[in-house]
Amino acid sequence: MKVLVATEKPFAKKAVDGIKNIFAEAGYEVVLLEKYTDKAELLAAVGDVDALIVRSDKVTKEVIDAAKQLKIVVRAGAGYDNVDLQAASANNVAVMNTPGQNSNAVAELALAMMIYMSRNQFTPGTGIELQGKTLGIHAYGNVGRLVGRKAKALGLNVIAYDPFITERVVFDNDGVEPVGSVEELYAASDFLSLHIPATEQTKKSINYKLLMSMPQGATLVNTARKEVIDEDGLKAALTERTDLKYITDIAPDATSELAELAGKRFFATPKKMGAETAEANINAGLAAARQIVGYLERGENRFQLNKKPCDCK
Ligand code: 3PG
């Protein structure tokens, strides 16, 4: 079997070594395609591989069609909006992610971002403390839960909204108060940490109305996806409300405009860095490699995202 590890944003060396070891034990060949700048390089590299590991690299229909031997794609990470699931299913390619494996790194960054904005991006001047403020967590999955637990230790009052979690005990275990609607969440949150995926339902769902309902001096923290933000609404809210702040790990399309209109109330990391820790790379990268061997050798499909038979024509 031949495996391609295609990472425009490479894994740490330790993770790459671990991935190679797992495949060496299984008798698989590994090819690395790192820091590529053109999708033509990916299209050329997938031609004869049986398995593919990616991060946020785009696995489009074109890529899947070019990969004639492909049996499995593992997105080493949580969000899989970069993989065309329908094209994969149509070609009998299994798609998996590695849920939870990089969550701690993202949760730590979300908290760091709150402190960074509370202290005026580490420039002179009086800031505020997190202790005693209310943090709203939008979606209480792997990352949201870790943010919630860590935030409790910092003295924040933590509330959360997640329409898919119906058992209150999940929140109770962390001392977190669930609220009944997204409107209620935003209206009560001095800090709001976003952890929703980018889907047809969530795209542009964080809009002007929600942002304008946030308390005086509130900060929106986005370590999720840029697509969930309605950028026109964000621009309007940051213009009208000169107390609102936005910090993001995924540069918006309107980054320069936002920087100009909001100054120190806006910050975007130059490149998505939430999962950029050695630990997260090792956890997600090795999990991806193990999942590939498990699937190809034993048919293990616990994390397969397209289990149902394809209804595509
Ligand atoms: C994820 O969905 O797992 C995170 O956004 C991390 O993405 P990355 O692997 O591109 O850093």
Side-chain angles (χ1 to χ4, degrees), residues 104-185:
N104 191 65
V106 181
E108 287 188 8
L109 185 75
L111 286 157
M113 287 181 141
M114 289 173 213
I115 295 174
Y116 189 58
M117 290 309 263
S118 304
R119 298 302 184 95
N120 308 315
Q121 300 190 20
F122 299 163
T123 57
T126 307
I128 57 161
E129 298 179 16
L130 302 193
Q131 179 164 264
K133 306 297 184 303
T134 295
L135 165 66
I137 300 183
H138 192 169
Y140 209 61
N142 288 316
V143 182
R145 285 172 211 199
L146 286 166
V147 171
R149 289 172 204 154
K150 292 174 198 297
K152 291 292 290 183
L154 291 172
L156 282 138
N157 163 42
V158 185
I159 60 176
Y161 174 71
D162 192 321
F164 300 103
I165 299 179
T166 46
E167 289 171 28
R168 201 192 151 102
V169 67
V170 174
F171 302 100
D172 287 349
N173 284 343
D174 296 337
V176 167
E177 184 65 31
V179 298
S181 70
V182 77
E183 287 77 17
E184 208 181 315
L185 185 77

Side-chain angles (χ1 to χ4, degrees), residues 226-227 229-236 238 246 248 250-263 266-268:
K226 73 173 178 184
E227 289 82 2
I229 306 286
D230 172 359
E231 290 193 13
D232 287 337
L234 174 67
K235 279 187 266 177
L238 286 172
Y246 180 55
T248 178
I250 319 93
D253 294 331
T255 291
S256 42
E257 229 180 308
L258 284 161
E260 199 170 318
L261 78 84
F266 168 75
F267 181 83

Side-chain angles (χ1 to χ4, degrees), residues 11-15 101 105 275-286:
F11 289 123
K13 185 180 178 308
K14 251 187 156 176
Q101 299 291 350
E276 283 292 74
T277 63
E279 293 89 340
N281 284 183
I282 292 166
N283 291 342
L286 270 59

Side-chain angles (χ1 to χ4, degrees), residues 4-11 16 19 32-36 42 52-57 76:
L4 174 68
V5 180
T7 46
E8 181 269 319
K9 196 169 58 181
F11 289 123
V16 175
I19 291 169
L32 282 186
L33 176 67
E34 295 181 324
K35 293 188 185 171
Y36 58 95
L42 178 58
L52 174 62
I53 295 180
V54 292
R55 294 184 65 177
S56 289
D57 308 76

